Amino acid sequence: MKKLKFIVLLTLFVLMGVFMTYHWISFRTKDFIYNDVNTVPKNKVGLVLGTGKYAASGNINLFYKYRVDAAVKLYKAGKIDYILVSGDNSRIDYDEPSDFKSDLIARGIPEHKIYLDYAGFRTLDSVVRAKEIFGQTSITFISQKFHNQRAIYIAKHFGIEAVGFNAKDVYKSHFREYLARSKASLDLAFNVQPKFLGEKITIQ
């Protein structure tokens, strides 16, 4: 019976921690999130956080489509000068950054204004590499709101002045984000670093 009580209490403690972490990150980042292209501050670089182009069904991934839309809107409004796409390219047949680049060029973004980060395996990697590899200490994240909030939270920890421009969302609720934010908080607490760094790349 004592063991059962301990398990129940531990479970409740963990769930409460996950819940509080989620809402703490929302609170901490609320002043740095923008939906209106006219009010978002200008930054030299907009960082598109990667995702796959296609869903499991084979249809276009709407998270991907709406991030492309948001990046194009920001660039054409003059709110960013360059677009940095950070995503996963860990397999020969999977290349998030190049997919984004092709579609951004098709939408009128000049190729020389697009930079690719092929080692953005997760959000922390993308954020830290934007500073350490691409030299950006002030940046605009381009993703859905829930993702931008997590990215900004990580960025503040690493001394990056960041805002987020929200792409259109796909779902009303993101239950996985509760766990993702808890994982991000633990990564910061334990000083987890990106999987790869490497040579610096100047955006100019």
Side-chain angles (χ1 to χ4, degrees):
M1 184 62 70
K2 288 184 178 180
K3 185 176 181 180
L4 179 60
K5 285 184 178 180
F6 174 78
I7 292 173
V8 170
L9 288 173
L10 180 61
T11 301
L12 290 174
F13 178 78
V14 170
L15 290 175
M16 184 178 295
V18 169
F19 179 83
M20 291 178 65
T21 298
Y22 179 92
H23 290 285
W24 172 246
I25 290 177
S26 294
F27 174 76
R28 287 278 293 165
T29 60
K30 63 183 176 64
D31 294 331
F32 306 101
I33 295 292
Y34 295 85
N35 293 302
D36 185 353
V37 72
N38 296 308
T39 58
V40 64
K42 177 179 171 61
N43 268 317
K44 179 180 180 180
V45 175
L47 171 56
V48 180
L49 296 168
T51 187
K53 182 172 182 176
Y54 298 102
S57 63
N59 295 324
I60 190 77
N61 176 4
L62 292 180
F63 287 103
Y64 173 96
K65 178 183 183 301
Y66 295 148
R67 290 180 201 183
V68 171
D69 292 343
V72 171
K73 184 182 292 186
L74 268 185
Y75 180 84
K76 292 189 173 180
K79 292 305 181 88
I80 53 174
D81 299 319
Y82 297 90
I83 297 174
L84 171 61
V85 181
S86 183
D88 189 348
N89 180 35
S90 59
R91 305 193 311 267
I92 295 176
D93 60 340
Y94 189 78
D95 187 348
E96 292 177 359
S98 294
D99 285 340
F100 273 101
K101 180 180 179 180
S102 295
D103 287 329
L104 288 168
I105 291 173
R107 293 285 297 275
I109 307 299
E111 184 175 4
H112 70 279
K113 294 288 187 176
I114 303 170
Y115 286 77
L116 302 183
D117 175 12
Y118 294 103
F121 302 117
R122 55 183 181 151
T123 304
L124 183 144
D125 296 58
S126 297
V127 172
V128 176
R129 286 176 56 81
K131 179 181 180 181
E132 299 300 330
I133 302 301
F134 295 92
Q136 303 307 303
T137 56
S138 180
I139 204 161
T140 300
F141 293 122
I142 304 168
S143 189
Q144 279 69 29
K145 180 179 178 180
F146 71 92
H147 198 186
N148 282 336
Q149 289 174 324
R150 176 157 41 97
I152 291 169
Y153 183 74
I154 295 169
K156 298 296 184 185
H157 178 84
F158 287 99
I160 303 169
E161 293 298 320
V163 297
F165 182 64
N166 298 331
K168 182 179 177 181
D169 213 334
V170 181
Y171 306 119
K172 291 184 178 181
S173 299
H174 298 275
F175 294 110
R176 290 177 59 186
E177 184 63 15
Y178 280 86
L179 296 178
R181 293 187 183 191
S182 293
K183 177 64 165 57
S185 293
L186 289 173
D187 285 343
L188 299 184
F190 289 99
N191 195 33
V192 173
Q193 296 297 312
K195 188 173 182 180
F196 297 113
L197 285 175
E199 297 182 7
K200 294 185 181 297
I201 300 171
T202 303
I203 295 180
Q204 61 181 11

